[in-house]
Amino acid sequence: MTALLEVEDLRVAYGKIEAVKGISFTVEAGQVVTLIGTNGAGKTTTLRTLSGLLKPSAGKISFDGKPLHGIPAHKIVALGLAHSPEGRHIFPRLTIVENLLLGAYLRDDKEGIDKDIQRAYELFPILGERRKQAAGTLSGGEQQMLAMGRALMSRPKLLMLDEPSMGLSPIMMQKIMQTISELKSQGTTILLVEQNAQAALSLADHGHVMEVGRIALSGTGQDLLHDESVRKAYLGED
Ligand code: ATP
């Protein structure tokens, strides 16, 4: 069986600076795969390239059996790849429900959309309670929930989450991670970029450690969680 996402020797450069230097990995349907690593390792660049927002300088990306080369970002969403970006990028003046509906802009099945809005409210009750409020009034963690809910509104085959725990309180972070686990148990396939290696590896089937544009180490989430070099470099142990 071929993987849902196959990335082969991917390279991405900003002008002369190569930020991603030939990485390969796969994501099987139903898995949670995480990319961890320090600031500037190339994780966000990788996700933005998969979404079609950046052009690779070399390598292959295949999604659901089709090459993504040269396909514009909106068509990539239509193929089933959704991206909840770093920094959330919600629309603060629009209401919560309007933000959610933007995630479904490629769909016209009103009934299905209504059902998925209800599902977002079940996953994140606060979004339902505040549905008519401007999204800018939400706290950082709640905005993160909205960004995830909005990405789910396209009914993606693969959900990419960039740093969902960034800037959140420990309690809110735990909540977000619990939701990711819940999505996983419902069968959602997730590619998770995180600086919080402990949380990400604890729930991931597979993980890849990125260091300056390369994958330095790969393994199951549990293997990496117990790997001595990972513990020292990313889990704050001496
Ligand atoms: P972070 O967690 O800080 O976002 P990251 O692993 O996601 O880190 P990237 O944001 O992908 O890393 O950045 C990889 C490298 O590319 C870094 O050296 C960064 O400075 C550089 N870079 C990122 N965006 C640009 C840009 N628009 N122009 C030039 N260089 C960039």
Side-chain angles (χ1 to χ4, degrees):
M1 203 185 81
T2 52
L4 179 61
L5 176 73
E6 293 186 36
V7 175
E8 206 183 315
D9 208 14
L10 183 72
R11 290 174 181 270
V12 192
Y14 298 100
K16 285 188 179 157
I17 301 165
E18 195 168 53
V20 174
K21 303 174 181 175
I23 61 167
S24 302
F25 65 94
T26 59
V27 181
E28 307 274 348
Q31 279 188 337
V32 173
V33 173
T34 188
L35 303 179
I36 61 169
T38 48
N39 279 329
K43 307 179 300 293
T44 296
T45 301
T46 302
L47 292 197
R48 289 177 60 80
T49 307
L50 295 174
S51 284
L53 299 169
L54 293 171
K55 275 199 183 130
S57 44
K60 278 195 224 160
I61 305 167
S62 122
F63 178 65
D64 206 14
K66 296 174 203 76
L68 288 191
H69 186 81
I71 300 187
H74 68 280
K75 294 219 169 116
I76 291 180
V77 178
L79 289 175
L81 210 162
H83 187 174
S84 174
E86 189 175 19
R88 293 141 209 167
H89 299 285
I90 55 133
F91 296 90
R93 286 166 191 253
L94 298 184
T95 64
I96 285 150
V97 65
E98 285 166 343
N99 269 274
L100 288 173
L101 285 169
L102 281 174
Y105 77 103
L106 290 169
R107 297 171 56 184
D108 54 12
D109 57 322
K110 190 173 175 316
E111 260 178 45
I113 293 173
D114 286 346
K115 220 164 134 188
D116 287 351
I117 294 233
Q118 290 312 317
R119 184 173 168 236
Y121 294 161
E122 275 160 31
L123 269 179
F124 305 113
I126 191 83
L127 300 183
E129 287 160 27
R130 308 249 182 110
R131 56 164 82 77
K132 298 260 171 69
Q133 277 184 28
T137 63
L138 295 174
S139 73
E142 291 159 359
Q143 291 186 18
Q144 182 57 54
M145 294 174 182
L146 180 56
M148 285 170 67
R150 184 182 57 189
L152 285 167
M153 287 301 297
S154 64
R155 285 219 183 150
K157 294 185 181 124
L158 175 64
L159 174 65
M160 297 197 298
L161 301 173
D162 196 351
E163 304 264 6
S165 79
M166 192 170 61
L168 303 187
S169 67
I171 290 181
M172 200 45 109
M173 191 202 81
Q174 219 181 351
K175 229 174 172 169
I176 294 288
M177 289 299 164
Q178 267 167 8
T179 308
I180 297 173
S181 283
E182 205 174 318
L183 288 171
K184 178 186 174 181
S185 62
Q186 292 171 6
T188 311
T189 310
I190 297 171
L191 179 57
L192 170 67
V193 159
E194 257 300 333
Q195 287 214 29
N196 186 328
Q198 172 88 39
L201 292 173
S202 302
L203 59 83
D205 297 293
H206 278 278
H208 304 281
V209 181
M210 282 190 77
E211 277 172 12
V212 283
R214 293 196 170 83
I215 291 181
L217 191 64
S218 301
T220 66
Q222 287 306 310
D223 283 350
L224 293 178
L225 205 50
H226 297 109
D227 181 277
E228 201 177 331
S229 63
V230 173
R231 298 193 71 82
K232 276 190 183 151
Y234 301 101
L235 305 177
E237 292 191 0
D238 316 311

